[in-house]
Amino acid sequence: MKVGAVIITMGNRPAELRALLDSVAGQHGDPVEVVVVGNGSPVPDVPEGVRTVELPENLGIPGGRNVGIEAFGPGGCDVDILLFLDDDGLLARPDTAELCREAFAADPELGIISFRIADPETGETQRRHVPRLRASDPMRSSRVTTFLGGANAVRTTVFAEVGGLPAEFFYAHEETDLAWRALDAGWLIDYRSDMVLYHPTTAPSRHAVYHRMVARNRVWLARRNLPALLVPVYLGVWLLLTLARRPSKEALRAWFGGFKEGWTSPCGPRRPMRWRTVWRLTRLGRPPVI
């Protein structure tokens, strides 16, 4: 199976980007073709053979990744599998691409693989990087209902069937939007603890727009994908969870601003999932109200 990789960059981590590209070039098996997308910035020097696309403006994470997908033909059709990797990450093992080939070849219903993210110094995997509710054991692989945006592999026929990432989200929850559409189309998602991307431990709230985007996109996610009966339940649960976490006044103000924006601004096409998909998500351990 032919493998490609999409990496988006703001051009501000040239050393980390080069280390990541070296780890991709060192993968066993057939070479992985790479496209680096400069998201509103020039692309730093890259090795020969790495293709680059420089965008005149920052399209956000999903928008930038969509450009990378299309660089491999419509819906990425020139390859069978696309890896999506954060530009400050590093593939821990040289057989990750081969493991992806084997996994997708063995299971024709497998659409997406979520890698394990580990700190390169401590080996720690943050709880938020295990895409399931029962996240206490990051070394346990399992079927899941979403995936990690900067450390994953997607069968390109998924994009052909359900479309790309929601560019309007810009940042936050775009992976779950794609995951729900893929699951509704009958695809499966696996979390694999043996496929590792080294990435420094960070907090998502380091981004200035974090609280507003998370709240706005949570509403958009529900409006786009959930049956009407579940929309208020899902958002009500997240409102209670947010309050229980006792964010600062500034964070809470931004969160409520984003929550309001989610209701008052266009969210893209609405395609509610089928009730059998709701049941499927529930059986996988994450009903779409949590």
Side-chain angles (χ1 to χ4, degrees):
M1 302 183 80
K2 200 171 180 183
V3 180
V6 173
I7 301 164
I8 60 172
T9 183
M10 300 291 290
N12 55 350
R13 294 189 280 235
E16 292 90 338
L17 175 62
R18 176 57 72 104
L20 171 62
L21 292 171
D22 289 345
S23 75
V24 174
Q27 291 296 299
H28 296 166
D30 291 339
V32 176
E33 187 178 347
V34 181
V35 169
V36 178
V37 178
N39 212 357
S41 67
V43 175
D45 290 338
V46 296
E48 186 177 352
V50 173
R51 288 191 289 154
T52 61
V53 179
E54 294 186 352
L55 302 177
E57 61 178 312
N58 184 352
L59 299 183
I61 293 172
R65 287 185 177 139
N66 283 342
V67 170
I69 293 168
E70 295 302 309
F72 288 95
C77 64
D78 293 344
V79 294
D80 303 295
I81 303 164
L82 276 176
L83 311 180
F84 295 88
L85 307 169
D86 277 350
D87 69 341
D88 55 345
L90 182 76
L91 289 173
R93 294 172 45 161
D95 62 347
T96 301
E98 282 288 82
L99 290 172
C100 287
R101 290 185 182 100
E102 292 169 5
F104 285 118
D107 187 350
E109 294 185 342
L110 180 61
I112 302 172
I113 299 173
S114 189
F115 300 169
R116 181 167 64 89
I117 293 180
D119 185 273
E121 300 295 329
T122 66
E124 176 193 0
T125 296
Q126 293 178 273
R127 187 180 181 90
R128 69 185 181 89
H129 284 152
V130 182
R132 59 177 180 244
L133 291 179
R134 296 179 179 178
S136 59
D137 182 8
M139 300 306 294
R140 179 173 67 87
S141 299
S142 69
R143 286 267 146 90
V144 290
T145 62
T146 188
F147 64 99
L148 306 174
N152 68 79
V154 182
R155 192 192 296 265
T156 53
T157 46
V158 172
F159 297 126
E161 186 169 350
V162 306
L165 294 155
E168 54 267 58
F169 278 40
F170 196 85
Y171 164 78
H173 302 319
E174 66 272 6
E175 303 91 354
T176 300
D177 186 271
L178 176 60
W180 283 0
R181 285 183 280 129
L183 288 163
D184 196 48
W187 294 102
L188 299 173
I189 305 171
D190 278 356
Y191 166 72
R192 287 282 297 265
S193 64
D194 57 335
M195 300 182 189
V196 180
L197 185 83
Y198 284 144
H199 188 283
T201 298
T202 57
S205 54
R206 69 190 185 281
H207 298 293
V209 297
Y210 171 77
H211 296 286
R212 181 176 70 87
M213 292 286 194
V214 162
R216 183 197 68 182
N217 292 358
R218 184 77 72 182
V219 177
W220 281 359
L221 181 67
R223 288 175 59 197
R224 286 164 59 98
N225 295 289
L226 290 181
L229 286 175
L230 294 185
V231 172
V233 180
Y234 177 81
L235 295 175
V237 168
W238 278 106
L239 172 60
L240 293 174
L241 284 173
T242 299
L243 295 174
R245 290 168 179 163
R246 303 178 67 182
S248 67
K249 288 183 179 179
E250 293 77 13
L252 197 59
R253 189 178 302 115
W255 193 93
F256 273 111
F259 193 79
K260 178 181 178 182
E261 185 182 349
W263 286 107
T264 58
S265 57
C267 64
R270 173 168 165 76
R271 299 187 182 97
M273 67 177 66
R274 294 166 294 181
W275 282 102
R276 71 180 183 184
T277 304
V278 172
W279 175 237
R280 190 181 188 196
L281 289 163
T282 303
R283 286 189 292 110
L284 287 169
R286 190 152 198 166
V289 293
I290 301 175

